[in-house]
Amino acid sequence: PELCEATWLAEQTGMDAVYAAAYVRSGRSDFGNAVLSRWPIVDSRSLQLTLAGSSIEPRGALTADVRVRNRLVSVTSTH
């Protein structure tokens, strides 16, 4: 199987990464959102932004909770 680009980038940079597919295409690569952080990612969640049954290309958002020193910071990536 192919290595997820976010995982590959994390391995190359020594960062934490999380990925969530926004669109999964049969027989082809999926696409979505990723968050990379030099700080530990402690949780994540994804949200579908496209209405069900819509004819437009699916869109999503990925929120990651990152532990920065003694604080929890939430960051969101969207496509």
Side-chain angles (χ1 to χ4, degrees):
E2 291 183 33
L3 183 64
C4 169
E5 290 175 5
T7 302
W8 182 86
L9 284 169
E11 289 175 355
Q12 298 303 306
T13 61
M15 299 174 105
D16 270 8
V18 64
Y19 170 80
Y23 185 31
V24 178
R25 302 175 292 181
S26 180
R28 298 175 63 189
S29 297
D30 59 338
F31 67 84
N33 299 293
V35 172
L36 277 81
S37 173
R38 66 182 177 148
W39 304 100
I41 297 173
V42 296
D43 197 14
S44 66
R45 57 210 163 274
S46 62
L47 175 66
Q48 190 61 250
L49 300 176
T50 309
L51 294 175
S54 174
S55 63
I56 65 173
E57 190 173 74
R59 300 292 181 201
L62 171 64
T63 299
D65 297 327
V66 181
R67 174 77 55 204
V68 180
R69 296 188 181 96
N70 292 329
R71 296 182 181 212
L72 193 61
V73 178
S74 295
V75 294
T76 301
S77 172
T78 185
H79 177 276

